[in-house]
Amino acid sequence: MTGVPPGQDPRSRSASRRSFLVLLLLLAVCYTVAALGGLAASDSAGTYRSLDRPDWAPPSWLFGPVWTVLYATIAFSAWLVLRRRSLARTRTEIGFWSVQLAFNLVWTPLFFSAGRYGLAFLDICLLLAALGATMVLFRRRSTAAALLLVPYALWVLYAAALNFAIWRLNA
């Protein structure tokens, strides 16, 4: 007796377990990026409030909840790509996903810790390019995966405009 209910293939149960573990790993990666960014800019709210900002800048309390949701969608989108294909068969897609996440990680210390608003703007532009490529590549594997990245792309585009405006106002 295998302990598997009648009519259920034991391999599908194992695949489901693996798929769930991959999702947990992707969530862990994304929230680790968030945590490292937070450590790199422990007083980001104070720094943000001290800057000259455009009238359309959001309040500092909004960033935490928005990024909490966005990091979940970033992880889930990669999971949708990986759940039916191996990492070896999605190397390019996950490579671009990783690159955009690396640019995401670098932005926070550039902007908040180093106060390098121009370099942070360059970084966020590269992030947008890598994210655009990721979305195009993900679309080939899963429309839902690409669509899950749309709110992230819109937020990063808004953040890029805000970064540029802050750079200009505080130069």
Side-chain angles (χ1 to χ4, degrees):
M1 175 136 256
T2 63
V4 177
Q8 184 177 358
D9 184 348
R11 290 174 297 197
S12 69
R13 191 168 177 207
S14 175
S16 292
R17 187 176 307 122
R18 253 191 324 273
S19 180
F20 180 69
L21 290 175
V22 167
L23 176 57
L24 288 179
L25 176 65
L26 292 166
L27 285 165
V29 167
C30 287
Y31 287 113
T32 297
V33 167
L36 290 173
L39 289 173
S42 58
D43 189 33
S44 59
T47 302
Y48 181 73
R49 283 191 298 273
S50 73
L51 293 169
D52 289 330
R53 292 169 284 150
D55 294 336
W56 46 270
S60 61
W61 62 263
L62 184 62
F63 292 97
V66 168
W67 279 110
T68 299
V69 172
L70 291 177
Y71 280 120
T73 63
I74 294 165
F76 196 74
S77 70
W79 176 76
L80 288 175
V81 170
L82 283 169
R83 72 183 179 147
R84 292 200 180 110
R85 295 184 185 270
S86 69
L87 182 57
R89 293 181 69 202
T90 57
R91 187 172 318 208
T92 302
E93 293 87 343
I94 298 305
F96 273 92
W97 180 85
S98 299
V99 167
Q100 65 78 27
L101 207 54
F103 282 124
N104 181 310
L105 174 61
V106 169
W107 184 87
T108 302
L110 278 176
F111 190 89
F112 288 108
S113 298
R116 302 294 305 265
Y117 309 127
L119 278 177
F121 181 69
L122 173 61
D123 176 81
I124 207 167
C125 289
L126 294 171
L127 165 56
L128 280 167
L131 179 55
T134 302
M135 292 171 73
V136 168
L137 292 167
F138 274 23
R139 170 68 177 84
R140 296 177 186 170
R141 302 286 186 201
S142 166
T143 301
L147 290 174
L148 273 171
L149 293 175
V150 169
Y152 173 40
L154 292 173
W155 184 257
V156 172
L157 187 60
Y158 175 68
L162 182 60
N163 183 157
F164 184 78
I166 289 172
W167 178 30
R168 302 310 301 153
L169 289 170
N170 292 274

